[in-house]
Amino acid sequence: MMWEAFLAILTLSLATGAAPEQPCKHDDVIQYLNLSSEKAPPLHTIPKKNWKEPLKVKIQFALMSILSVSEKLQTVTVCFLVTMKWKNVFVTWNPQDFCDISNLKLPVDTFWSPHIIIYEHVDEEKFLNRPYLSITHNGMITIIQEYRVTIACNLKMHKFPFDTQMCSITLFSDIVSATDLIFWSNETTEELNKNSKRYQLNDGEWKITNINIIPDRVEDEEEVSNGITYEISMKRRPILYVLNLIFPSCALYLLDMTILFSSSSYEDKISFQLSLIIGESVLALILKDIIPTSSDDPPIIVRFFIGVFVLMIMGVLETCLLMQLKKKPLHPILKAIKLLRCRKQARTTSGTLRSKQGDSLTETARGQEERRDSSPLGKGNTELPMLTGTINAEGQRIGTQAEPQECESALLVLDQVLFCSHLLLSLLFSIVIIVQWSS
């Protein structure tokens, strides 16, 4: 009896025992969705049940890097991520029927996906990877695509290199109209900036300061397409241009001012000033390769270089003027200065000599008068004119010796006047440039 009971229990356990589970595969879900069959539903059309309602596509944007900026071409090359999400109501399954498989990774061309057009692009769009889509059991499809694209940007070079630029990236689709599809961003500006900083690849010349989200509409003759515009505000780091352009230019000009005030000969000054102008020309050629030629408003740094050139050329002209005045002392201006000062000096010297010799002349005249009275021949009458001629000759000799000294003094005064005026003009020019850059 016990043996029969044992056999009954064993038979019942074998009959009701759990059979080994069949392993689940992703192919089972694909077969269930009929994706591999030729009779599959139209998967390459917009997945809408009601064609009167537009399909909403959520877009997330993340700026990864600013690769290059071409001021000459007015273009910017950027790298960014675009995440798109939408719902396909025709592709759903129950995860419990497939061992809780709720997500699939499929090629991007398996289903319909929005075709994104970048309005500002001027070069071929480049995908940095082959995208795959992710689909969940409720039909939510997600695509993450990385773009590398060159866009046109109106670069304002007025305050270069202390400039801040604003460039736009507009994403829209030209396949369908706004009545069929709507792009909208499901993130705030703060979240966008935070994600961009998290994905940022490098920290180069440009610093991303802010990214704004602006809904946009692109209209043509037949239909209206909506899109999203991302305004990227970026600031240049100017330290490289300050060290390579502005600082060397200021150093060359300070050397030019120093040589103007030095005691070197005029020929040495001119040769040294011309060497400095050649060095400034090299810096101007470097700047020419950066600044766009189509700019109607010349940047401040161009005005700075032009001002430095003008001041340096003025210094050369001033040195040439002084050199010519030294070689040709009979120049009308210098001659007038010399005559006025030499005549004044000669008159002062002659008056001093005559006042000093007045007493001796009086005593001599008295002695001659006495001798003339005592002498019957009267020889003292011829000594007074001879003494007067001696005094006049001495005054002319002193005036002739003082003339070269006065001429050198006049040149020195003129040199100092030109240097002070040059220095004052330089300070005024520096203040104007600094105010324009800081405003």
Side-chain angles (χ1 to χ4, degrees), residues 122-404:
V122 293
D123 197 1
E124 182 182 358
E125 300 173 14
K126 297 181 180 179
F127 304 103
L128 299 184
N129 54 8
R130 185 175 184 271
Y132 283 81
L133 60 83
S134 173
I135 181 171
T136 59
H137 67 279
N138 58 358
M140 186 62 66
I141 300 178
T142 303
I143 293 180
I144 301 177
Q145 179 62 57
E146 185 177 358
Y147 290 86
R148 181 182 182 273
V149 63
T150 300
I151 61 174
C153 183
N154 187 14
L155 301 176
K156 305 295 184 180
M157 303 297 295
H158 182 69
K159 292 187 176 181
F160 175 86
F162 307 98
D163 54 332
T164 300
Q165 305 296 340
M166 183 76 69
C167 298
S168 299
I169 298 178
T170 303
L171 307 180
F172 72 99
S173 177
D174 61 347
I175 299 178
V176 293
S177 63
T179 58
D180 295 328
L181 183 142
I182 294 178
F183 281 160
W184 66 289
S185 177
N186 62 340
E187 58 183 350
T188 62
T189 303
E190 291 77 12
E191 294 175 347
L192 173 60
N193 286 274
K194 184 178 180 180
N195 291 333
S196 297
K197 291 180 179 179
R198 184 180 63 181
Y199 287 112
Q200 192 168 0
L201 297 177
N202 55 10
D203 190 19
E205 178 184 352
W206 292 92
K207 177 183 179 182
I208 303 172
T209 57
N210 190 30
I211 304 176
N212 292 326
I213 306 174
I214 302 176
D216 195 12
R217 292 174 64 88
V218 180
E219 300 182 4
D220 55 20
E221 296 179 356
E222 298 180 355
E223 59 186 10
V224 178
S225 299
N226 74 322
I228 302 176
T229 299
Y230 298 92
E231 285 188 350
I232 303 171
S233 178
M234 52 187 185
K235 185 177 182 181
R236 190 194 305 268
R237 293 183 172 92
I239 183 64
L240 180 64
Y241 298 97
V242 171
L243 295 179
N244 290 341
L245 293 176
I246 299 178
F247 178 75
S249 181
C250 294
L252 291 176
Y253 184 67
L254 288 178
L255 290 176
D256 182 76
M257 292 293 296
T258 303
I259 198 64
L260 280 177
F261 194 67
S262 65
S263 59
S264 303
S265 63
Y266 294 128
E267 291 81 3
D268 295 339
K269 287 184 179 181
I270 292 176
S271 61
F272 189 77
Q273 288 171 332
L274 293 177
S275 301
L276 295 178
I277 291 177
I278 293 175
E280 188 72 11
S281 302
V282 175
L283 296 177
L285 291 176
I286 298 175
L287 180 65
K288 178 180 175 294
D289 295 334
I290 301 174
I291 301 298
T293 57
S294 60
S295 178
D296 296 331
D297 184 17
I300 299 176
I301 192 170
V302 174
R303 302 175 186 176
F304 169 74
F305 269 80
I306 293 175
V308 171
F309 265 114
V310 171
L311 291 173
M312 294 176 74
I313 293 174
M314 287 177 59
V316 175
L317 295 178
E318 292 171 2
T319 307
C320 292
L321 175 63
L322 294 174
M323 184 176 63
Q324 292 298 322
L325 292 178
K326 183 178 179 180
K327 290 182 178 180
K328 297 180 180 180
L330 296 180
H331 191 274
I333 299 177
L334 187 58
K335 184 178 179 181
I337 297 175
K338 290 195 300 181
L339 288 176
L340 291 176
R341 302 190 65 176
C342 291
R343 286 178 180 178
K344 183 179 179 181
Q345 185 68 24
R347 290 173 183 174
T348 305
T349 305
S350 299
T352 304
L353 290 174
R354 289 174 181 176
S355 63
K356 290 182 178 180
Q357 295 176 0
D359 296 337
S360 60
L361 181 61
T362 304
E363 294 177 359
T364 304
R366 290 177 181 176
Q368 291 177 354
E369 191 69 26
E370 292 176 355
R371 288 193 298 270
R372 184 183 58 185
D373 293 339
S374 60
S375 176
L377 299 176
K379 295 182 180 180
N381 294 331
T382 60
E383 295 182 359
L384 181 60
M386 294 176 61
L387 183 60
T388 304
T390 303
I391 294 175
N392 292 332
E394 184 69 18
Q396 291 179 0
R397 185 182 63 80
I398 295 174
T400 304
Q401 293 177 355
E403 183 177 356

